[in-house]
Amino acid sequence: MERNRSQHLSVEVQLMTEPCLWRWEIRDRDRDEVVDSSWSREWMAYESPEEALRAGRQRLTSLIRR
């Protein structure tokens, strides 16, 4: 089941306009919904898209391992 779930989840990085920082979202592609978000969950944003993507991938890994 975990494998199946991981195949449907993806990390996306988006630029926010206010403040001008980057955030990550983990999306379920099948249901087209946000599963987790750095901004919604902890009000965390990043200086660069690479930094946001790295953090989003770490979170995705922890979700899959559960």
Side-chain angles (χ1 to χ4, degrees):
M1 185 162 180
E2 286 181 5
R3 267 190 202 161
N4 221 6
R5 183 176 184 200
S6 67
Q7 293 172 353
H8 301 286
L9 298 177
S10 65
V11 177
E12 296 180 10
V13 173
Q14 298 174 342
L15 178 63
M16 302 179 348
T17 54
E18 286 294 322
C20 190
L21 295 170
W22 295 87
R23 71 171 182 238
W24 56 259
E25 290 183 340
I26 296 174
R27 299 189 67 86
D28 182 319
R29 293 185 304 255
D30 288 347
R31 295 185 296 185
D32 193 30
E33 68 182 25
V34 175
V35 174
D36 201 356
S37 165
S38 65
W39 192 247
S40 299
R41 189 168 72 92
E42 14 179 87
W43 282 34
M44 185 67 184
Y46 303 86
E47 295 286 326
S48 71
E50 296 83 13
E51 186 182 5
L53 183 58
R54 195 168 34 254
R57 285 181 176 161
Q58 288 174 346
R59 178 65 178 149
L60 177 58
T61 299
S62 71
L63 286 175
I64 292 169
R65 287 184 179 165
R66 283 191 200 173

